[in-house]
């Protein structure tokens, strides 16, 4: 078990990268949010999700939540109309988890089995935000989504220098023959 002491207000990039590597490797991590600590893993990683269920004693009908960096992530995972978008914009980041209709981008095992909904949250915690914004974690999250749904996942980047951080995840996708 790796234990990292990350500064809550000024997280060290080196330690964030180590945490992201553990997530990429399929490990379960405990990280701070606005309200408390959360247990998380790479989206779509079946073994890690089963481990979280075991740790927390969750049943098969548990409503899981996806932590999002900002509102643009929410629209990837949930069907959001204009009224809901305004509500989210006025109330995020927040401690609140919004239960919304899931899009096809959400792995089935994360959705509520009957309602087809997903919990979504935008935290303001600095450590949590850095974990979410690390480009390498984005590539591995995309790998997990591609592995789960078996369909191509598009990965975009706003800067040419940041795109090089996608290489490890894209290499994994190539060797696992994932449609990324």
């Amino acid at each position: 078990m790796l234990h990292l002491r990350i500064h809550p207000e000024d997280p060290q990039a080196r330690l964030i990268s180590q945490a992201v590597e553990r997530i990429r490797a399929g490990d379960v991590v405990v990280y701070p949010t606005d309200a408390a600590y959360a247990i998380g893993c790479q989206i779509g990683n079946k073994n890690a999700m089963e481990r979280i269920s075991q740790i927390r004693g969750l049943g098969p009908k548990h409503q899981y939540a996806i932590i999002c960096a900002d509102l643009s992530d929410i629209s990837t995972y949930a069907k959001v109309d204009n009224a809901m978008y305004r509500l989210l914009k006025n109330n995020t980041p927040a401690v609140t988890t919004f239960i919304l209709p899931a899009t096809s981008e959400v792995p089935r095992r994360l959705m509520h089995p009957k309602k087809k909904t997903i919990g979504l949250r935008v935290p303001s915690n600095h450590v949590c935000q850095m974990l979410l914004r690390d480009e390498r974690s984005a590539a591995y999250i995309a790998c997990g989504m591609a592995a789960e749904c078996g369909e191509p996942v598009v990965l975009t980047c706003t800067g040419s220098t940041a795109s090089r951080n996608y290489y490890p995840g894209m290499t994994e996708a190539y060797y696992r023959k994932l449609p990324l």
Side-chain angles (χ1 to χ4, degrees), residues 142-163:
C143 282
M145 291 172 66
E148 172 65 23
C149 67
E151 295 184 19
V153 175
V154 177
L155 190 60
T156 62
C157 183
T158 57
S160 59
T161 56
S163 65

Side-chain angles (χ1 to χ4, degrees), residues 63-66 71 74 78 84 87-101 117-122:
Q63 178 73 64
Y64 285 93
I66 297 175
L71 285 178
I74 286 182
M84 180 56 69
L87 177 75
L88 291 169
K89 186 175 180 183
N90 290 332
N91 292 290
T92 57
V95 179
T96 308
T97 299
F98 296 91
I99 307 297
L100 300 167
T117 56
I118 186 68
L120 296 166
R121 215 168 135 204
V122 180

Side-chain angles (χ1 to χ4, degrees), residues 29-50:
V29 297
V30 176
Y31 60 94
T33 67
D34 302 327
Y37 282 86
I39 303 173
C41 65
Q42 182 180 22
I43 192 169
N45 184 322
K46 182 181 178 184
N47 293 334
M49 287 184 59
E50 288 172 356

